[in-house]
Amino acid sequence: MAIVYAPTTLPLASSPSITSFPPPPDAPPAVISFRTCRNLEHIEQMHCRVVKTRGSAVLSLIAACVEVGSPESLSYAVKAFRCCSKEEKFAGSCSYVLNSLLRGCSSAGLGEDALFVYVKMVEMGIVPDKYSFTFLLNACAKLAGLVECLQAHGVVVKMGLSEDLFVGNSLIHCYCECRRVVDGRKVFDEMSERNLVSWTSLICGYARSNSPEEAISLFFNMMRDGVKPNAITVVGAVSACSRLQDRELGERVHGYIHGNDVELNDYVTNALVDMYMKCGDFDAARKIYEDCHDRNLVLFNTVLSNYVRVGMTREVVRIVDQMWQSDVRPDRVTALTLLSASADFGQLKIGKQCHCYVMRNGLLHSENVGTAIIDMYVKCGKPELARAVFDALLRKPVASWNSLVGGYLRNGNLESARKIFDEMPRRDVVSYNTLIGGFVQETRFDEAIGLFREMQRVGIKPDRITLASIATACGIVGALGVAKWILFYIEHEGIECDVHLFTALIDMFGRCGDPVTAMRVFEKMKRRDPSAWTAIIRAMAASGCGKLAVDLFDKMIQEGYKPDDVTLVGVLTACSHCGLVDEGRRIFRSMEGEHGISPQIIHYGCMVDMLARAGHLEEAMQFIKGMPIEPNDIIWRSLLSACRVHKDDDMASYAASRLEESSPGGTGTAVILSNVYASMGKWSDVRRVRLEMNENGMLKLPGCSSVEINGAIHEFTAGDESHPKIRHIERMLSEIDTRIRDVGYVPNTSDVTLNMDEEEKGVAVGGHSEKLAMAYALISTDKGRNVRVVKNLRTCGDCHGYAKAVSKVYGREIVIRDKARFHFFRDGFCSCNDSW
């Protein structure tokens, strides 16, 4: 990110000069003696002499220290004031001197000392005037002391000084520095008189805030009021255009500079170059840069950082050459920019040259430089060099540890990253974000959630990045309890959600089977993008709310958002799962004509699945034959599964043969063929496929179901007896079996692909993982609470009927998320209408 360098203080016209306080006629005679002192050493010597001969002369001492004006002399004056402030005679005619001390401390950045002087003045009975508050507020601004600013503002109002121009300007400046621009605007609006400093303070405040458009509006209002801006005002306005990336506005401000003879100093030049580069107009930026004959280090750094940002490596090298030719010596900012470029572009050679320069010029231990070198070597694929630099650092800031952890993760070494993380003497939110992100990327979601809980225990507050990563993990494992806590935490802590975090939350609740909360989060979004619309459409599709998904898709189009491939997959999936054939046909036809998107194999697969599920097998077959691309195994598998459900043996045989051709040797293909042959009673073919699977070393993926109880995830596999409460689970299964048979449940053995009698098949389906998970949830939760199960495969017909019966007998809502969708079971019915 480029740094736009501008003065941090307002012009001296914003506050009265120190020379506004002439010595009063009754000033102590020692003033003459102290005025001959020209440095702190002379003042200290004179102080000792005066104390010995004439007693305390602290007023004269303070005046002399302020005249010298160095931080050391001002600190000395404050120390002397601390020692002598209790003397009654000191309160006579010292207001002018203490105001001078107050101003000196404020100007020198000694904010705490300035506050002390003000408090002591009040304690001594000296009534502060408008000058006192001007200096006090400037000190508060440098400290970003909002509480002190509010207190000072209250006293100003009580003393009737709020109408003073200098005090009002100081209040605006202080509020803006404390990031309370709205309060600064209130002061500005109430001022009966304003000057250039009033406008400039507020424009610069808005330019740095989240409302840069207000800065531009104020700038043009100021011109309409006939107030001519100076260079600082222009820098604020140009910086606001840069943040908005609005080239047209930037050109208008630039045009005003040319038309009104505003001084084009280094600050303005730098701001203009940065603005044009941020807005993508590199030609305009280059012209200003080339026309500048006295280029300084700040300008070079601005241009370099912007070229790095957009990946223009050749220009980066050219600018560095110009720096050397101009005899401008790179500093820490330059080194950080070039190291960042080397890291982002994988330019190891340039990175090593930067490393050598840093070593020769003693910059290695400067803030962030060592960390940047580590990051560069990591991203260039040299973790061993990164570790060597890390070990050589005298001081190892947290950022350097974080870079090393991130480096190991980038190179796929999660265990080494965890080891470094455990060795860290101190961690911050970035440390946890880095490792949590690594766990999520490696699909180790339980560990990611565990690390998130550890983060809470040690008192490190998660940020938007943390929450987005954990939302992804919670969504995939279906941890609704943690998901709800995340939303509560965001709302309770007032965390501002950006589009990325909102989208992650919608996706999380969609994956956890809570479409109501997903929709509530979506409706809270003030600004949406296509990814947010896609997330909510997919959430509704997975939850069986197909009509709502289609309505959302239509609304998205009406509001001017352009869908992408993923959006269309989501809405077509919704049509497929809910039997919305007419809507699906309409949306598919609109892809090329209305949205300019050529259907891919996945979109054709959605259409085949939709038609086949709805029983339109012949139409599905004709659709496949009319496809402009070769159908893959997914399309034939969709057709084959539907043929099995709708008992079309001839088409099933054809689809099975094409499936074997398109995906020979695949485990999924072999399993579905085995299932189809079993449903058709072709046991010899079943044995043949099973034998081929064994010979080729293919293993059928075992069914696995998980359930979340009190924040902990419990996993079960078919026939699993490893759970510590397995005996309780077995007794519960026996009770369930008895009770649901009384209401008419009969085991559905049609999905059993082994040649055995019905009794044996009934035993086989009795140990499915969903049933184990449901039984454990029933004995571990209170009556009436929902049961949520996540399964890695498609739920079988028997477990589907079993869940319907359990929901009716036990009065519980049973939610099962299988490989394809959610099933919501209530009072003996499922949201999928028995079509999945």
Side-chain angles (χ1 to χ4, degrees):
M1 180 183 292
I3 301 174
V4 179
Y5 291 82
T8 56
T9 57
L10 296 175
L12 289 178
S14 65
S15 57
S17 169
I18 194 171
T19 56
S20 302
F21 306 104
D26 57 345
V31 169
I32 306 298
S33 302
F34 277 109
R35 282 185 174 175
T36 63
C37 302
R38 289 294 175 265
N39 56 48
L40 180 58
E41 184 179 358
H42 291 166
I43 291 174
E44 290 174 340
Q45 292 172 354
M46 184 63 70
H47 188 196
C48 293
R49 190 182 310 164
V50 169
V51 169
K52 289 178 181 177
T53 58
R54 280 183 281 184
S56 174
V58 72
L59 286 178
S60 305
L61 170 68
I62 291 172
C65 287
V66 170
E67 186 72 24
V68 172
S70 69
E72 293 79 14
S73 68
L74 291 164
S75 294
Y76 189 83
V78 173
K79 288 178 183 177
F81 181 52
R82 285 178 185 272
C83 295
C84 305
S85 59
K86 293 182 180 179
E87 298 181 18
E88 270 186 48
K89 60 181 181 179
F90 189 62
S93 57
C94 59
S95 176
Y96 83 100
V97 177
L98 296 183
N99 271 340
S100 299
L101 180 58
L102 191 59
R103 182 185 190 278
C105 290
S106 174
S107 300
L110 304 175
E112 297 290 346
D113 288 337
L115 293 176
F116 168 78
V117 172
Y118 170 80
V119 170
K120 280 299 179 184
M121 286 176 64
V122 174
E123 288 179 353
M124 292 163 56
I126 299 173
V127 179
D129 55 20
K130 62 181 181 180
Y131 305 111
S132 310
F133 287 111
T134 299
F135 306 143
L136 174 65
L137 287 166
N138 286 339
C140 293
K142 291 183 178 179
L143 290 171
L146 177 61
V147 173
E148 294 79 3
C149 177
L150 291 168
Q151 291 173 340
H153 192 178
V155 178
V156 163
V157 172
K158 287 181 181 178
M159 294 184 66
L161 297 174
S162 55
E163 290 296 317
D164 183 82
L165 178 61
F166 289 139
V167 175
N169 288 346
S170 298
L171 279 168
I172 295 171
H173 177 62
C174 189
Y175 277 125
C176 289
E177 290 298 309
C178 295
R179 300 292 187 267
R180 291 285 286 266
V181 190
V182 174
D183 293 321
R185 181 61 184 263
K186 290 178 182 177
V187 175
F188 178 86
D189 290 340
E190 293 171 0
M191 292 175 71
S192 57
E193 179 189 0
R194 302 168 186 148
N195 63 5
L196 173 61
V197 177
S198 318
W199 291 93
T200 299
S201 297
L202 197 56
I203 287 170
C204 292
Y206 273 124
R208 294 192 302 269
S209 74
N210 291 325
S211 304
E213 62 280 354
E214 289 291 336
I216 302 299
S217 176
L218 272 173
F219 179 78
F220 290 117
N221 287 341
M222 179 183 71
M223 291 192 296
R224 280 193 289 270
D225 281 8
V227 180
K228 183 178 179 179
N230 62 10
I232 300 175
T233 324
V234 169
V235 168
V238 172
S239 298
C241 296
S242 178
R243 291 196 63 187
L244 291 169
Q245 296 186 3
D246 191 325
R247 184 173 61 85
E248 183 180 346
L249 278 176
E251 286 178 338
R252 288 178 62 189
V253 176
H254 190 187
Y256 180 86
I257 296 172
H258 281 304
N260 291 271
D261 299 324
V262 176
E263 180 189 2
L264 195 66
N265 60 17
D266 292 343
Y267 298 118
V268 177
T269 300
N270 184 65
L272 285 170
V273 170
D274 183 68
M275 181 271 295
Y276 279 118
M277 296 185 87
K278 286 285 197 314
C279 294
D281 192 344
F282 288 88
D283 291 335
R286 191 178 294 111
K287 186 177 185 307
I288 298 172
Y289 169 80
E290 298 293 347
D291 290 345
C292 181
H293 301 295
D294 187 22
R295 300 171 194 147
N296 58 20
L297 180 60
V298 174
L299 182 59
F300 278 119
N301 283 340
T302 297
V303 175
L304 275 174
S305 62
N306 277 287
Y307 278 138
V308 168
R309 177 177 55 83
V310 295
M312 299 173 68
T313 28
R314 289 185 180 179
E315 292 298 323
V316 169
V317 174
R318 183 176 69 84
I319 297 300
V320 172
D321 288 341
Q322 288 185 2
M323 285 184 72
W324 289 115
Q325 292 168 11
S326 303
D327 201 25
V328 175
R329 183 180 178 134
D331 66 351
R332 181 180 65 85
V333 177
T334 320
L336 287 170
T337 300
L338 293 176
L339 287 166
S340 174
S342 304
D344 292 341
F345 310 142
Q347 296 287 337
L348 181 61
K349 183 178 179 180
I350 297 177
K352 285 185 173 180
Q353 291 173 345
C354 288
H355 188 183
C356 292
Y357 179 83
V358 163
M359 294 291 290
R360 287 196 305 271
N361 291 273
L363 297 174
L364 179 62
H365 302 295
S366 297
E367 185 181 0
N368 298 334
V369 174
T371 301
I373 294 173
I374 294 170
D375 189 59
M376 180 272 296
Y377 280 127
V378 159
K379 290 180 178 177
C380 289
K382 297 292 182 181
E384 68 282 354
L385 295 179
R387 184 61 195 250
V389 174
F390 175 81
D391 291 337
L393 290 178
L394 298 178
R395 286 181 61 256
K396 294 179 173 63
V398 176
S400 65
W401 290 87
N402 292 341
S403 290
L404 203 58
V405 171
Y408 282 118
L409 290 173
R410 177 181 289 269
N411 288 278
N413 194 342
L414 184 56
E415 301 311 320
S416 294
R418 180 67 204 236
K419 183 179 178 184
I420 295 294
F421 179 86
D422 292 337
E423 292 173 0
M424 291 178 70
R426 189 169 67 86
R427 303 172 188 139
D428 61 9
V429 66
V430 178
S431 315
Y432 281 94
N433 285 350
T434 304
L435 195 56
I436 287 172
F439 279 133
V440 171
Q441 188 173 358
E442 294 296 320
T443 68
R444 292 164 63 168
F445 305 114
D446 290 343
E447 290 171 89
I449 295 173
L451 200 60
F452 175 65
R453 290 197 176 102
E454 177 189 313
M455 187 179 179
Q456 296 170 256
R457 285 196 301 271
V458 299
I460 295 180
K461 287 190 174 183
D463 60 10
R464 290 198 295 259
I465 297 174
T466 324
L467 296 168
S469 295
I470 292 300
T472 300
C474 290
I476 291 175
V477 301
L480 182 61
V482 182
K484 288 186 173 180
W485 185 92
I486 289 172
L487 183 60
F488 168 79
Y489 179 85
I490 290 172
E491 294 174 343
H492 184 265
E493 295 295 322
I495 294 175
E496 186 177 346
C497 292
D498 56 11
V499 174
H500 177 67
L501 181 54
F502 268 126
T503 303
L505 292 173
I506 294 167
D507 186 66
M508 172 183 70
F509 282 110
R511 289 175 178 269
C512 289
D514 190 350
V516 174
T517 306
M519 181 58 76
R520 181 164 66 87
V521 172
F522 179 75
E523 290 173 345
K524 288 177 66 176
M525 296 181 71
K526 295 178 181 178
R527 186 173 65 86
R528 297 164 181 160
D529 66 358
S531 64
W533 284 96
T534 300
I536 192 64
I537 288 169
R538 292 175 63 182
M540 296 304 110
S543 300
C545 306
K547 186 65 172 66
L548 181 55
V550 172
D551 291 343
L552 285 166
F553 176 79
D554 291 337
K555 186 177 180 182
M556 174 186 178
I557 304 303
Q558 291 169 7
E559 294 190 10
Y561 294 95
K562 184 177 176 62
D564 58 14
D565 293 356
V566 182
T567 316
L568 286 156
V569 169
V571 71
L572 289 173
T573 301
C575 295
S576 174
H577 285 174
C578 298
L580 304 174
V581 178
D582 291 337
E583 288 85 346
R585 291 190 186 110
R586 171 180 64 83
I587 291 169
F588 184 81
R589 285 195 300 267
S590 72
M591 286 183 64
E592 286 191 281
E594 295 181 22
H595 311 306
I597 299 175
S598 298
Q600 304 300 314
I601 191 69
I602 190 169
H603 302 107
Y604 287 111
C606 289
M607 286 299 293
V608 171
D609 188 63
M610 179 189 71
L611 294 169
R613 280 174 183 268
H616 303 291
L617 298 179
E618 189 59 39
E619 184 181 350
M621 177 62 75
Q622 294 305 316
F623 184 87
I624 294 172
K625 290 179 179 179
M627 286 170 50
I629 53 180
E630 188 70 22
N632 63 4
D633 60 312
I634 296 175
I635 288 178
W636 291 119
R637 190 177 293 127
S638 297
L639 182 61
L640 183 57
S641 297
C643 290
R644 180 188 173 196
V645 172
H646 294 289
K647 308 297 182 184
D648 191 325
D649 295 349
D650 293 336
M651 191 174 290
S653 298
Y654 176 76
S657 63
R658 296 305 303 271
L659 182 58
E660 284 189 291
E661 292 175 10
S662 64
S663 181
T667 302
T669 301
V671 170
I672 197 168
L673 282 173
S674 174
N675 293 343
V676 170
Y677 289 143
S679 68
M680 297 165 63
K682 298 181 178 180
W683 299 112
S684 59
D685 289 326
V686 171
R687 286 192 294 271
R688 176 179 58 80
V689 174
R690 294 280 180 173
L691 182 61
E692 290 174 357
M693 289 177 65
N694 292 333
E695 289 175 349
N696 294 325
M698 292 186 291
L699 297 175
K700 181 181 177 182
L701 184 66
C704 177
S705 297
S706 63
V707 63
E708 180 188 5
I709 304 294
N710 297 326
I713 306 295
H714 297 261
E715 290 189 348
F716 300 88
T717 55
D720 184 15
E721 293 188 355
S722 62
H723 197 278
K725 292 191 176 181
I726 187 60
R727 300 299 166 232
H728 299 282
I729 294 171
E730 288 174 346
R731 285 195 291 271
M732 189 65 198
L733 285 171
S734 178
E735 178 194 314
I736 294 172
D737 189 61
T738 301
R739 293 186 63 181
I740 64 178
R741 284 178 185 272
D742 290 341
V743 296
Y745 164 76
V746 176
N748 181 350
T749 60
S750 62
D751 288 318
V752 178
T753 59
L754 299 176
N755 189 10
M756 57 178 65
D757 60 37
E758 285 302 313
E759 185 176 350
E760 291 174 314
K761 288 181 178 181
V763 174
V765 298
H768 282 188
S769 60
E770 299 102 308
K771 296 180 179 180
L772 295 172
M774 278 188 272
Y776 181 65
L778 289 174
I779 63 175
S780 304
T781 57
D782 297 332
K783 290 183 178 180
R785 290 196 61 180
N786 295 352
V787 173
R788 293 180 171 268
V789 177
V790 178
K791 186 175 181 181
N792 64 333
L793 302 176
R794 177 181 176 275
T795 190
C796 70
D798 178 65
C799 289
H800 193 270
Y802 186 91
K804 288 200 298 183
V806 170
S807 69
K808 181 176 183 179
V809 170
Y810 287 89
R812 303 269 199 126
E813 179 179 338
I814 311 291
V815 182
I816 296 181
R817 189 185 88 185
D818 68 10
K819 186 179 180 180
R821 60 173 299 161
F822 278 94
H823 300 267
F824 297 88
F825 300 94
R826 301 184 187 92
D827 298 322
F829 296 94
C830 180
S831 59
C832 75
N833 294 319
D834 299 337
S835 175
W836 76 104

